[in-house]
Amino acid sequence: MARRAMSQLLPQWSSRVFSVELNGAPFYFSIQERHRGEDMPHVFEEVRGNDRCYSLFVCSSDRIKQARFYPELKEKLLRDLPKGCDLSPMSSFLPNVKDSLLKGYFLKDRSAGSSLSERLLRDVIQHDPVLVCSYLKSEDGQLWTQRLWGDADSQTTEMSKDYCVVPSEAPEYHPATLNIINSDVFYSFEEACDVLKQSADIIPEATSVLELLPSRLEARSKPDFPVIVIEGLDATGKTTLTESLRDTLGAALLRSPPKCLSPLRTRFDREPPLIRRAFYALGNYITAEEMGQEGMKTPVIVDRFWHSTAAYAIATAVSGPVCNLPSDGSEVYRWPTDLLRPSLVVLLTLDPEERKRRLRDRGQGETAEEQELDHNQLFRLKVEEAYRRISGPACVTVDASPPADQVLQQVLLLIRAKCHL
């Protein structure tokens, strides 16, 4: 598997850009056949005299195996590497080429001897879908070269080609955006369904999800009654508002993910993003089926929908500051063509400190992503900005800081104006 992947990658290897995450910020470098006096890439500036550096990229034509092995490789390295080794997230990509992103790790080995690390890395490429590169420093310490190792079936342990390592400018868009579509965010029922079908042999619960899905997506006209989605972070007042709207409008109240998936959420939350996001995407389609049925009889209020699924996924996939998000108008913010479109989407916003206070008062457990929101302001800002950029339909922002009855009245005014209720 790795050998086949390597044969596909090698013709374009020198065109690739490499990114290493240090303290949450990406630093880029590239490779070329000759050095032309470029500065040393930032990644290597802090490398001490006897330190050794390697990169490992997970590479498999089986996307399920690739997604699951990436975190497994990290666990293996952290468990087996000698003390004095630092591991950082790393990626390799072809600029502006979709689905070209390879994920991996950058290893800085500060241990007393290289033999244990070298043996571990050689064992990895013998048994797992991993490409390994070593980085060699010149005698004067000013230049670095990259050497790509061979895989288990190669006649030699290392490839003979050495490339000079040079700085690279940051790409126009964060490299994670190259692989977001139908990987971190799903834009069709079939794409998400295929991931769970491919996972069924190793995740028995995937079959249970597939059995809950509608047999086919019928091309249905808009429901007779409006469908209003209420979005927002935890503790912004969604539950209070959606229940008040249900009672005031005589509406049906639905939630996404739907109740039928609740027993399976803990299981899929342990899976890597590809499988976890496919699970939540299919939850939206189950909810959409319910929305279509209920909307023929009565107005429908929905507690979260596709906006949440997409906003959290995009904010998680794209590291660094808010400016690294795909630009406004990017296709990653487009609404799936086969998913029922709500009549109105309301995004509740709240001052971060007030939201934290409400969470403390509520005393309820949080998802891992909600915990991340609480201690990582940058992540919260990215989620909120991703919410705002999703289009077709876009969110209408409502300040949730006033008393609940005032928020209700404001949203009712919006519904009457937009949905003619």
Side-chain angles (χ1 to χ4, degrees), residues 54-118:
Y54 308 90
S55 55
L56 301 86
F57 297 107
V58 179
C59 185
S60 171
S61 57
D62 184 335
R63 69 190 302 220
I64 304 299
K65 182 176 182 179
Q66 188 174 31
R68 298 192 94 217
F69 182 69
Y70 176 68
E72 292 171 4
L73 176 61
K74 181 178 181 180
E75 290 181 11
K76 178 183 178 70
L77 294 171
L78 291 176
R79 182 183 67 243
D80 297 340
L81 283 169
K83 291 182 178 180
C85 290
D86 296 330
L87 207 61
S88 303
M90 185 176 187
S91 63
S92 170
F93 59 96
L94 293 169
N96 301 317
V97 177
K98 288 182 181 178
D99 299 322
S100 66
L101 187 75
L102 294 176
K103 295 175 68 176
Y105 303 100
F106 184 77
L107 169 62
K108 188 187 295 183
D109 185 357
R110 293 174 171 169
S111 61
S114 64
S115 57
L116 184 57
S117 298
E118 292 271 344

Side-chain angles (χ1 to χ4, degrees), residues 164-175:
C164 295
V165 176
V166 298
S168 176
E169 292 185 2
E172 183 178 4
Y173 302 111
H174 191 282

Side-chain angles (χ1 to χ4, degrees), residues 35 40 136-144:
H35 198 274
M40 184 185 300
L136 310 173
K137 185 165 53 174
S138 63
E139 291 185 4
D140 62 6
Q142 299 303 306
L143 304 177
W144 286 83

Side-chain angles (χ1 to χ4, degrees), residues 320-393:
V322 174
C323 63
N324 282 351
L325 290 174
S327 59
D328 203 356
S330 166
E331 61 181 334
V332 305
Y333 301 118
R334 65 179 167 83
W335 192 265
T337 56
D338 60 359
L339 186 63
L340 190 150
R341 293 173 185 255
S343 314
L344 173 66
V345 181
V346 175
L347 174 63
L348 299 179
T349 60
L350 194 61
D351 175 78
E353 292 305 315
E354 171 63 14
R355 197 180 73 85
K356 284 184 180 180
R357 185 191 66 75
R358 291 186 185 183
L359 279 171
R360 286 194 300 268
D361 292 347
R362 212 165 62 173
Q364 294 180 350
E366 300 172 86
T367 65
E369 286 177 332
E370 285 293 342
Q371 291 173 359
E372 179 73 4
L373 285 172
D374 283 346
H375 75 259
N376 188 335
Q377 180 187 19
L378 183 56
F379 181 64
R380 176 180 56 79
L381 291 173
K382 286 192 293 184
V383 171
E384 290 176 341
E385 186 57 33
Y387 265 128
R388 294 186 183 100
R389 294 184 183 184
I390 294 171
S391 61

Side-chain angles (χ1 to χ4, degrees), residues 95-317:
N96 301 317
V97 177
K98 288 182 181 178
D99 299 322
S100 66
L101 187 75
L102 294 176
K103 295 175 68 176
Y105 303 100
F106 184 77
L107 169 62
K108 188 187 295 183
D109 185 357
R110 293 174 171 169
S111 61
S114 64
S115 57
L116 184 57
S117 298
E118 292 271 344
R119 283 201 304 270
L120 174 62
L121 296 182
R122 295 187 197 285
D123 180 68
V124 165
I125 63 173
Q126 292 287 327
H127 302 101
D128 298 314
V130 176
L131 301 180
V132 175
C133 299
S134 56
Y135 296 88
L136 310 173
K137 185 165 53 174
S138 63
E139 291 185 4
D140 62 6
Q142 299 303 306
L143 304 177
W144 286 83
T145 55
Q146 180 199 76
R147 178 173 295 177
L148 180 64
W149 293 17
D151 68 1
D153 298 318
S154 296
Q155 296 299 313
T156 58
T157 306
E158 292 185 355
M159 308 292 285
S160 59
K161 186 82 169 177
D162 286 358
Y163 290 97
C164 295
V165 176
V166 298
S168 176
E169 292 185 2
E172 183 178 4
Y173 302 111
H174 191 282
T177 63
L178 298 173
N179 284 38
I180 280 181
I181 294 177
N182 293 324
S183 180
D184 292 288
V185 183
F186 287 87
Y187 298 84
S188 79
F189 176 82
E190 292 300 330
E191 290 284 355
C193 202
D194 284 347
V195 169
L196 260 64
K197 286 178 181 176
Q198 294 167 32
S199 305
D201 289 344
I202 52 178
I203 307 173
E205 292 85 353
T207 302
S208 301
V209 177
L210 294 170
E211 290 172 351
L212 293 170
L213 299 176
S215 56
R216 63 190 181 93
L217 289 181
E218 297 180 5
R220 67 168 80 239
S221 58
K222 273 197 168 185
D224 294 338
F225 290 86
V227 174
I228 297 105
V229 173
I230 307 299
E231 292 280 6
L233 309 182
D234 272 7
T236 52
K238 292 189 308 301
T239 300
T240 300
L241 177 60
T242 53
E243 291 177 353
S244 297
L245 289 171
R246 175 197 60 195
D247 297 341
T248 304
L249 300 174
L253 175 56
L254 303 175
R255 290 182 171 86
S256 186
K259 192 173 182 179
C260 63
L261 292 186
S262 294
L264 299 167
R265 288 182 67 178
T266 302
R267 175 66 183 86
F268 281 91
D269 281 343
R270 298 199 302 265
E271 290 298 324
L274 175 70
I275 299 170
R276 185 169 71 249
R277 302 303 183 191
F279 168 78
Y280 282 105
L282 291 173
N284 286 327
Y285 285 96
I286 294 174
T287 299
E289 181 83 355
E290 297 172 349
M291 289 158 60
Q293 293 169 357
E294 294 294 334
M296 294 301 173
K297 303 174 288 186
T298 182
V300 180
I301 307 298
V302 189
D303 187 337
R304 285 187 168 173
F305 195 43
W306 191 82
H307 286 73
S308 287
T309 308
Y312 277 85
I314 294 167
T316 302

